[in-house]
Amino acid sequence: MTESPVLLNKHEVERLLSYDDLISRLESVMGKFSKRDSSEIIQPVRSVVPIQQHNGFLGVMPAYLAAEGILSTKVVSFYQRAEGSSLPSTQATVLLFHPEHGNVIAIMDGEAITAKRTAAVSAISAKLFSPAFSEVLCILGSGQQARSHYDVLTKLFKFKEVRVWSRRKEMAQRFVNDLQGPVTVCGSVKEAVVGADVIVTATGASQPLLFGEWVKPGAHVAEMDDVLMREAVVYVDSREGATTESGDIILSGVEVFAELGEIINGTFPAQREKTTVFKSLGMGIQDAVSAKLVLEKWKKEH
Ligand SMILES: NC(=O)C1=CN([C@@H]2O[C@H](COP(=O)(O)OP(=O)(O)OC[C@H]3O[C@@H](n4cnc5c(N)ncnc54)[C@H](O)[C@@H]3O)[C@@H](O)[C@H]2O)C=CC1
Ligand SMILES: O=C(O)C1=NCCCC1
């Protein structure tokens, strides 16, 4: 007889998942993923059901990590929301299975996992690609991803200045009011971007907001939205993910230089001196290691 699954809500997941643990585990599995050894990791490209009528989609993101003993899937919906909507754009649940027996061992909130693991992966990209003496961080957007990126990037790097732009200034102001440190609210994307060393685009925009001529040569751009800044060396989390799902990569025909895992493995160089873009689509293995970490922490407490 199998035990009932552990149920963990958003508050618990947020509390149990720390960036310190997450970053090192993500580095390790993203490196492994890029070796494409199917006896180690199996992660198909996300299955997506478009809900065009309501500007959304439902995605299913399974993953199996043999050495880590993790079998999981995330089910995630993403809906474009009207500005000021109280509903989150991204809602998700992660299921962890017993890899030997196939029973569900945990069901947990995936919103906090999605926010933290995406930001942690961007932080890995910033460690690899940002200019050596990065002083200015710019965040475009003021939603869940903007917040998690602010948290992890200001924890890891000592920026002298942080700038935020959001399409409605009062949303940017509300975002800043919730933070501890000093942040400048900018009135335009250009004002936020010019001179920045690390730029995070975490908006739901599908039209370009960021133009290459504003970006300081050598800066690093971590892109979460649909808009690709083409005047740069482009890195992705997964080549298959990017060439299947990223409309901007497919349509522009831009060359993907390498996966993040290939830089971690040392099979491709991090061209840190050049302007770099890390195009993040999100991967099931990122959710899988995050959920396992949460469950391990929870078990230590019980
Ligand atoms: N790579 C990954 O693994 C993940 C990527 N994402 C992406 O990150 C982005 C942000 O997601 P969340 O923070 O969860 O959403 P959110 O709804 O919490 O925040 C979205 C932000 O984008 C702004 N925005 C929306 N449409 C815009 C437009 N047309 N022009 C300018 N600003 C606009 C909103 O004002 C808000 O500040 C989305 O593009 C989403 O697809 C989200 C989760 C994971
Ligand atoms: O990886 C994810 O999870 C997501 N990626 C794109 C937007 C929705 C969630």
mmCIF file with all atom_site columns, all heavy atoms in Angstrom, residues 190-211:
data_model
loop_
_atom_site.group_PDB
_atom_site.id
_atom_site.type_symbol
_atom_site.label_atom_id
_atom_site.label_alt_id
_atom_site.label_comp_id
_atom_site.label_asym_id
_atom_site.label_entity_id
_atom_site.label_seq_id
_atom_site.pdbx_PDB_ins_code
_atom_site.Cartn_x
_atom_site.Cartn_y
_atom_site.Cartn_z
_atom_site.occupancy
_atom_site.B_iso_or_equiv
_atom_site.pdbx_formal_charge
_atom_site.auth_seq_id
_atom_site.auth_comp_id
_atom_site.auth_asym_id
_atom_site.auth_atom_id
_atom_site.pdbx_PDB_model_num
ATOM 1   N N   . LYS A 1 190 ? 14.037 52.985 -22.863 1.00 0.00 ? 190 LYS A N   1
ATOM 2   C CA  . LYS A 1 190 ? 15.363 53.495 -23.221 1.00 0.00 ? 190 LYS A CA  1
ATOM 3   C C   . LYS A 1 190 ? 16.104 54.015 -21.993 1.00 0.00 ? 190 LYS A C   1
ATOM 4   O O   . LYS A 1 190 ? 17.277 53.695 -21.762 1.00 0.00 ? 190 LYS A O   1
ATOM 5   C CB  . LYS A 1 190 ? 15.218 54.591 -24.280 1.00 0.00 ? 190 LYS A CB  1
ATOM 6   C CG  . LYS A 1 190 ? 16.533 55.088 -24.812 1.00 0.00 ? 190 LYS A CG  1
ATOM 7   C CD  . LYS A 1 190 ? 16.316 56.104 -25.912 1.00 0.00 ? 190 LYS A CD  1
ATOM 8   C CE  . LYS A 1 190 ? 17.668 56.640 -26.376 1.00 0.00 ? 190 LYS A CE  1
ATOM 9   N NZ  . LYS A 1 190 ? 17.512 57.717 -27.360 1.00 0.00 ? 190 LYS A NZ  1
ATOM 10  N N   . GLU A 1 191 ? 15.393 54.783 -21.189 1.00 0.00 ? 191 GLU A N   1
ATOM 11  C CA  . GLU A 1 191 ? 16.001 55.350 -19.968 1.00 0.00 ? 191 GLU A CA  1
ATOM 12  C C   . GLU A 1 191 ? 16.493 54.233 -19.026 1.00 0.00 ? 191 GLU A C   1
ATOM 13  O O   . GLU A 1 191 ? 17.554 54.345 -18.412 1.00 0.00 ? 191 GLU A O   1
ATOM 14  C CB  . GLU A 1 191 ? 14.936 56.197 -19.261 1.00 0.00 ? 191 GLU A CB  1
ATOM 15  C CG  . GLU A 1 191 ? 15.410 56.965 -18.055 1.00 0.00 ? 191 GLU A CG  1
ATOM 16  C CD  . GLU A 1 191 ? 14.205 57.558 -17.285 1.00 0.00 ? 191 GLU A CD  1
ATOM 17  O OE1 . GLU A 1 191 ? 13.141 57.815 -17.890 1.00 0.00 ? 191 GLU A OE1 1
ATOM 18  O OE2 . GLU A 1 191 ? 14.346 57.730 -16.055 1.00 0.00 ? 191 GLU A OE2 1
ATOM 19  N N   . ALA A 1 192 ? 15.727 53.141 -18.983 1.00 0.00 ? 192 ALA A N   1
ATOM 20  C CA  . ALA A 1 192 ? 16.103 52.030 -18.088 1.00 0.00 ? 192 ALA A CA  1
ATOM 21  C C   . ALA A 1 192 ? 17.297 51.246 -18.626 1.00 0.00 ? 192 ALA A C   1
ATOM 22  O O   . ALA A 1 192 ? 18.142 50.777 -17.874 1.00 0.00 ? 192 ALA A O   1
ATOM 23  C CB  . ALA A 1 192 ? 14.902 51.099 -17.905 1.00 0.00 ? 192 ALA A CB  1
ATOM 24  N N   . VAL A 1 193 ? 17.353 51.146 -19.945 1.00 0.00 ? 193 VAL A N   1
ATOM 25  C CA  . VAL A 1 193 ? 18.322 50.234 -20.577 1.00 0.00 ? 193 VAL A CA  1
ATOM 26  C C   . VAL A 1 193 ? 19.690 50.868 -20.818 1.00 0.00 ? 193 VAL A C   1
ATOM 27  O O   . VAL A 1 193 ? 20.732 50.210 -20.654 1.00 0.00 ? 193 VAL A O   1
ATOM 28  C CB  . VAL A 1 193 ? 17.715 49.743 -21.925 1.00 0.00 ? 193 VAL A CB  1
ATOM 29  C CG1 . VAL A 1 193 ? 18.777 49.142 -22.822 1.00 0.00 ? 193 VAL A CG1 1
ATOM 30  C CG2 . VAL A 1 193 ? 16.596 48.748 -21.662 1.00 0.00 ? 193 VAL A CG2 1
ATOM 31  N N   . VAL A 1 194 ? 19.706 52.148 -21.222 1.00 0.00 ? 194 VAL A N   1
ATOM 32  C CA  . VAL A 1 194 ? 20.984 52.759 -21.628 1.00 0.00 ? 194 VAL A CA  1
ATOM 33  C C   . VAL A 1 194 ? 21.990 52.730 -20.467 1.00 0.00 ? 194 VAL A C   1
ATOM 34  O O   . VAL A 1 194 ? 21.715 53.194 -19.369 1.00 0.00 ? 194 VAL A O   1
ATOM 35  C CB  . VAL A 1 194 ? 20.764 54.215 -22.137 1.00 0.00 ? 194 VAL A CB  1
ATOM 36  C CG1 . VAL A 1 194 ? 22.099 54.941 -22.320 1.00 0.00 ? 194 VAL A CG1 1
ATOM 37  C CG2 . VAL A 1 194 ? 19.998 54.186 -23.450 1.00 0.00 ? 194 VAL A CG2 1
ATOM 38  N N   . GLY A 1 195 ? 23.133 52.111 -20.728 1.00 0.00 ? 195 GLY A N   1
ATOM 39  C CA  . GLY A 1 195 ? 24.193 52.050 -19.715 1.00 0.00 ? 195 GLY A CA  1
ATOM 40  C C   . GLY A 1 195 ? 24.097 50.857 -18.788 1.00 0.00 ? 195 GLY A C   1
ATOM 41  O O   . GLY A 1 195 ? 24.987 50.644 -17.959 1.00 0.00 ? 195 GLY A O   1
ATOM 42  N N   . ALA A 1 196 ? 23.022 50.054 -18.914 1.00 0.00 ? 196 ALA A N   1
ATOM 43  C CA  . ALA A 1 196 ? 22.887 48.898 -18.001 1.00 0.00 ? 196 ALA A CA  1
ATOM 44  C C   . ALA A 1 196 ? 23.834 47.777 -18.412 1.00 0.00 ? 196 ALA A C   1
ATOM 45  O O   . ALA A 1 196 ? 24.100 47.560 -19.596 1.00 0.00 ? 196 ALA A O   1
ATOM 46  C CB  . ALA A 1 196 ? 21.442 48.394 -18.001 1.00 0.00 ? 196 ALA A CB  1
ATOM 47  N N   . ASP A 1 197 ? 24.333 47.052 -17.402 1.00 0.00 ? 197 ASP A N   1
ATOM 48  C CA  . ASP A 1 197 ? 25.242 45.922 -17.660 1.00 0.00 ? 197 ASP A CA  1
ATOM 49  C C   . ASP A 1 197 ? 24.485 44.612 -17.780 1.00 0.00 ? 197 ASP A C   1
ATOM 50  O O   . ASP A 1 197 ? 24.863 43.726 -18.539 1.00 0.00 ? 197 ASP A O   1
ATOM 51  C CB  . ASP A 1 197 ? 26.251 45.791 -16.506 1.00 0.00 ? 197 ASP A CB  1
ATOM 52  C CG  . ASP A 1 197 ? 27.085 47.046 -16.365 1.00 0.00 ? 197 ASP A CG  1
ATOM 53  O OD1 . ASP A 1 197 ? 27.884 47.304 -17.267 1.00 0.00 ? 197 ASP A OD1 1
ATOM 54  O OD2 . ASP A 1 197 ? 26.897 47.786 -15.371 1.00 0.00 ? 197 ASP A OD2 1
ATOM 55  N N   . VAL A 1 198 ? 23.433 44.489 -16.970 1.00 0.00 ? 198 VAL A N   1
ATOM 56  C CA  . VAL A 1 198 ? 22.593 43.282 -17.006 1.00 0.00 ? 198 VAL A CA  1
ATOM 57  C C   . VAL A 1 198 ? 21.151 43.742 -17.190 1.00 0.00 ? 198 VAL A C   1
ATOM 58  O O   . VAL A 1 198 ? 20.671 44.607 -16.450 1.00 0.00 ? 198 VAL A O   1
ATOM 59  C CB  . VAL A 1 198 ? 22.726 42.461 -15.700 1.00 0.00 ? 198 VAL A CB  1
ATOM 60  C CG1 . VAL A 1 198 ? 21.803 41.247 -15.718 1.00 0.00 ? 198 VAL A CG1 1
ATOM 61  C CG2 . VAL A 1 198 ? 24.178 42.011 -15.497 1.00 0.00 ? 198 VAL A CG2 1
ATOM 62  N N   . ILE A 1 199 ? 20.494 43.180 -18.210 1.00 0.00 ? 199 ILE A N   1
ATOM 63  C CA  . ILE A 1 199 ? 19.118 43.587 -18.521 1.00 0.00 ? 199 ILE A CA  1
ATOM 64  C C   . ILE A 1 199 ? 18.238 42.343 -18.493 1.00 0.00 ? 199 ILE A C   1
ATOM 65  O O   . ILE A 1 199 ? 18.568 41.326 -19.108 1.00 0.00 ? 199 ILE A O   1
ATOM 66  C CB  . ILE A 1 199 ? 19.048 44.227 -19.938 1.00 0.00 ? 199 ILE A CB  1
ATOM 67  C CG1 . ILE A 1 199 ? 19.959 45.459 -20.002 1.00 0.00 ? 199 ILE A CG1 1
ATOM 68  C CG2 . ILE A 1 199 ? 17.606 44.573 -20.324 1.00 0.00 ? 199 ILE A CG2 1
ATOM 69  C CD1 . ILE A 1 199 ? 20.336 45.887 -21.416 1.00 0.00 ? 199 ILE A CD1 1
ATOM 70  N N   . VAL A 1 200 ? 17.141 42.438 -17.754 1.00 0.00 ? 200 VAL A N   1
ATOM 71  C CA  . VAL A 1 200 ? 16.187 41.317 -17.694 1.00 0.00 ? 200 VAL A CA  1
ATOM 72  C C   . VAL A 1 200 ? 14.914 41.775 -18.386 1.00 0.00 ? 200 VAL A C   1
ATOM 73  O O   . VAL A 1 200 ? 14.358 42.815 -18.036 1.00 0.00 ? 200 VAL A O   1
ATOM 74  C CB  . VAL A 1 200 ? 15.864 40.950 -16.223 1.00 0.00 ? 200 VAL A CB  1
ATOM 75  C CG1 . VAL A 1 200 ? 14.761 39.900 -16.152 1.00 0.00 ? 200 VAL A CG1 1
ATOM 76  C CG2 . VAL A 1 200 ? 17.117 40.471 -15.500 1.00 0.00 ? 200 VAL A CG2 1
ATOM 77  N N   . THR A 1 201 ? 14.454 41.016 -19.383 1.00 0.00 ? 201 THR A N   1
ATOM 78  C CA  . THR A 1 201 ? 13.168 41.353 -19.984 1.00 0.00 ? 201 THR A CA  1
ATOM 79  C C   . THR A 1 201 ? 12.152 40.319 -19.504 1.00 0.00 ? 201 THR A C   1
ATOM 80  O O   . THR A 1 201 ? 12.220 39.158 -19.880 1.00 0.00 ? 201 THR A O   1
ATOM 81  C CB  . THR A 1 201 ? 13.229 41.400 -21.530 1.00 0.00 ? 201 THR A CB  1
ATOM 82  O OG1 . THR A 1 201 ? 13.316 40.088 -22.042 1.00 0.00 ? 201 THR A OG1 1
ATOM 83  C CG2 . THR A 1 201 ? 14.404 42.220 -22.027 1.00 0.00 ? 201 THR A CG2 1
ATOM 84  N N   . ALA A 1 202 ? 11.261 40.737 -18.638 1.00 0.00 ? 202 ALA A N   1
ATOM 85  C CA  . ALA A 1 202 ? 10.277 39.822 -18.040 1.00 0.00 ? 202 ALA A CA  1
ATOM 86  C C   . ALA A 1 202 ? 8.887  40.409 -18.215 1.00 0.00 ? 202 ALA A C   1
ATOM 87  O O   . ALA A 1 202 ? 8.156  40.643 -17.257 1.00 0.00 ? 202 ALA A O   1
ATOM 88  C CB  . ALA A 1 202 ? 10.594 39.590 -16.571 1.00 0.00 ? 202 ALA A CB  1
ATOM 89  N N   . THR A 1 203 ? 8.554  40.679 -19.473 1.00 0.00 ? 203 THR A N   1
ATOM 90  C CA  . THR A 1 203 ? 7.230  41.225 -19.776 1.00 0.00 ? 203 THR A CA  1
ATOM 91  C C   . THR A 1 203 ? 6.472  40.189 -20.595 1.00 0.00 ? 203 THR A C   1
ATOM 92  O O   . THR A 1 203 ? 7.054  39.223 -21.067 1.00 0.00 ? 203 THR A O   1
ATOM 93  C CB  . THR A 1 203 ? 7.319  42.516 -20.619 1.00 0.00 ? 203 THR A CB  1
ATOM 94  O OG1 . THR A 1 203 ? 7.655  42.158 -21.963 1.00 0.00 ? 203 THR A OG1 1
ATOM 95  C CG2 . THR A 1 203 ? 8.353  43.480 -20.071 1.00 0.00 ? 203 THR A CG2 1
ATOM 96  N N   . GLY A 1 204 ? 5.211  40.435 -20.791 1.00 0.00 ? 204 GLY A N   1
ATOM 97  C CA  . GLY A 1 204 ? 4.436  39.551 -21.663 1.00 0.00 ? 204 GLY A CA  1
ATOM 98  C C   . GLY A 1 204 ? 4.425  40.067 -23.090 1.00 0.00 ? 204 GLY A C   1
ATOM 99  O O   . GLY A 1 204 ? 3.609  39.624 -23.893 1.00 0.00 ? 204 GLY A O   1
ATOM 100 N N   . ALA A 1 205 ? 5.327  40.992 -23.413 1.00 0.00 ? 205 ALA A N   1
ATOM 101 C CA  . ALA A 1 205 ? 5.290  41.633 -24.738 1.00 0.00 ? 205 ALA A CA  1
ATOM 102 C C   . ALA A 1 205 ? 5.634  40.645 -25.850 1.00 0.00 ? 205 ALA A C   1
ATOM 103 O O   . ALA A 1 205 ? 6.476  39.767 -25.679 1.00 0.00 ? 205 ALA A O   1
ATOM 104 C CB  . ALA A 1 205 ? 6.253  42.811 -24.779 1.00 0.00 ? 205 ALA A CB  1
ATOM 105 N N   . SER A 1 206 ? 4.967  40.816 -26.983 1.00 0.00 ? 206 SER A N   1
ATOM 106 C CA  . SER A 1 206 ? 5.337  40.003 -28.141 1.00 0.00 ? 206 SER A CA  1
ATOM 107 C C   . SER A 1 206 ? 5.890  40.896 -29.257 1.00 0.00 ? 206 SER A C   1
ATOM 108 O O   . SER A 1 206 ? 6.275  40.422 -30.316 1.00 0.00 ? 206 SER A O   1
ATOM 109 C CB  . SER A 1 206 ? 4.145  39.184 -28.628 1.00 0.00 ? 206 SER A CB  1
ATOM 110 O OG  . SER A 1 206 ? 3.043  40.035 -28.777 1.00 0.00 ? 206 SER A OG  1
ATOM 111 N N   . GLN A 1 207 ? 5.894  42.198 -29.020 1.00 0.00 ? 207 GLN A N   1
ATOM 112 C CA  . GLN A 1 207 ? 6.518  43.146 -29.945 1.00 0.00 ? 207 GLN A CA  1
ATOM 113 C C   . GLN A 1 207 ? 7.771  43.690 -29.270 1.00 0.00 ? 207 GLN A C   1
ATOM 114 O O   . GLN A 1 207 ? 7.772  43.888 -28.055 1.00 0.00 ? 207 GLN A O   1
ATOM 115 C CB  . GLN A 1 207 ? 5.573  44.329 -30.244 1.00 0.00 ? 207 GLN A CB  1
ATOM 116 C CG  . GLN A 1 207 ? 4.265  43.941 -30.905 1.00 0.00 ? 207 GLN A CG  1
ATOM 117 C CD  . GLN A 1 207 ? 4.475  43.316 -32.264 1.00 0.00 ? 207 GLN A CD  1
ATOM 118 O OE1 . GLN A 1 207 ? 5.312  43.764 -33.047 1.00 0.00 ? 207 GLN A OE1 1
ATOM 119 N NE2 . GLN A 1 207 ? 3.757  42.231 -32.540 1.00 0.00 ? 207 GLN A NE2 1
ATOM 120 N N   . PRO A 1 208 ? 8.827  43.971 -30.074 1.00 0.00 ? 208 PRO A N   1
ATOM 121 C CA  . PRO A 1 208 ? 10.083 44.427 -29.450 1.00 0.00 ? 208 PRO A CA  1
ATOM 122 C C   . PRO A 1 208 ? 9.913  45.676 -28.590 1.00 0.00 ? 208 PRO A C   1
ATOM 123 O O   . PRO A 1 208 ? 9.250  46.628 -28.968 1.00 0.00 ? 208 PRO A O   1
ATOM 124 C CB  . PRO A 1 208 ? 10.977 44.749 -30.658 1.00 0.00 ? 208 PRO A CB  1
ATOM 125 C CG  . PRO A 1 208 ? 10.351 44.074 -31.813 1.00 0.00 ? 208 PRO A CG  1
ATOM 126 C CD  . PRO A 1 208 ? 8.904  43.879 -31.521 1.00 0.00 ? 208 PRO A CD  1
ATOM 127 N N   . LEU A 1 209 ? 10.509 45.621 -27.399 1.00 0.00 ? 209 LEU A N   1
ATOM 128 C CA  . LEU A 1 209 ? 10.523 46.773 -26.495 1.00 0.00 ? 209 LEU A CA  1
ATOM 129 C C   . LEU A 1 209 ? 11.936 47.322 -26.420 1.00 0.00 ? 209 LEU A C   1
ATOM 130 O O   . LEU A 1 209 ? 12.173 48.485 -26.148 1.00 0.00 ? 209 LEU A O   1
ATOM 131 C CB  . LEU A 1 209 ? 10.167 46.314 -25.074 1.00 0.00 ? 209 LEU A CB  1
ATOM 132 C CG  . LEU A 1 209 ? 8.772  45.844 -24.773 1.00 0.00 ? 209 LEU A CG  1
ATOM 133 C CD1 . LEU A 1 209 ? 8.726  45.194 -23.406 1.00 0.00 ? 209 LEU A CD1 1
ATOM 134 C CD2 . LEU A 1 209 ? 7.820  47.032 -24.821 1.00 0.00 ? 209 LEU A CD2 1
ATOM 135 N N   . LEU A 1 210 ? 12.880 46.394 -26.618 1.00 0.00 ? 210 LEU A N   1
ATOM 136 C CA  . LEU A 1 210 ? 14.296 46.680 -26.397 1.00 0.00 ? 210 LEU A CA  1
ATOM 137 C C   . LEU A 1 210 ? 14.988 46.737 -27.749 1.00 0.00 ? 210 LEU A C   1
ATOM 138 O O   . LEU A 1 210 ? 14.845 45.812 -28.547 1.00 0.00 ? 210 LEU A O   1
ATOM 139 C CB  . LEU A 1 210 ? 14.840 45.491 -25.583 1.00 0.00 ? 210 LEU A CB  1
ATOM 140 C CG  . LEU A 1 210 ? 16.314 45.441 -25.256 1.00 0.00 ? 210 LEU A CG  1
ATOM 141 C CD1 . LEU A 1 210 ? 16.670 46.604 -24.351 1.00 0.00 ? 210 LEU A CD1 1
ATOM 142 C CD2 . LEU A 1 210 ? 16.630 44.127 -24.531 1.00 0.00 ? 210 LEU A CD2 1
ATOM 143 N N   . PHE A 1 211 ? 15.708 47.810 -27.994 1.00 0.00 ? 211 PHE A N   1
ATOM 144 C CA  . PHE A 1 211 ? 16.394 47.924 -29.284 1.00 0.00 ? 211 PHE A CA  1
ATOM 145 C C   . PHE A 1 211 ? 17.895 47.879 -29.077 1.00 0.00 ? 211 PHE A C   1
ATOM 146 O O   . PHE A 1 211 ? 18.423 48.463 -28.121 1.00 0.00 ? 211 PHE A O   1
ATOM 147 C CB  . PHE A 1 211 ? 15.943 49.195 -30.014 1.00 0.00 ? 211 PHE A CB  1
ATOM 148 C CG  . PHE A 1 211 ? 14.484 49.124 -30.400 1.00 0.00 ? 211 PHE A CG  1
ATOM 149 C CD1 . PHE A 1 211 ? 13.514 49.713 -29.614 1.00 0.00 ? 211 PHE A CD1 1
ATOM 150 C CD2 . PHE A 1 211 ? 14.085 48.388 -31.510 1.00 0.00 ? 211 PHE A CD2 1
ATOM 151 C CE1 . PHE A 1 211 ? 12.171 49.599 -29.939 1.00 0.00 ? 211 PHE A CE1 1
ATOM 152 C CE2 . PHE A 1 211 ? 12.743 48.259 -31.842 1.00 0.00 ? 211 PHE A CE2 1
ATOM 153 C CZ  . PHE A 1 211 ? 11.779 48.871 -31.062 1.00 0.00 ? 211 PHE A CZ  1
#
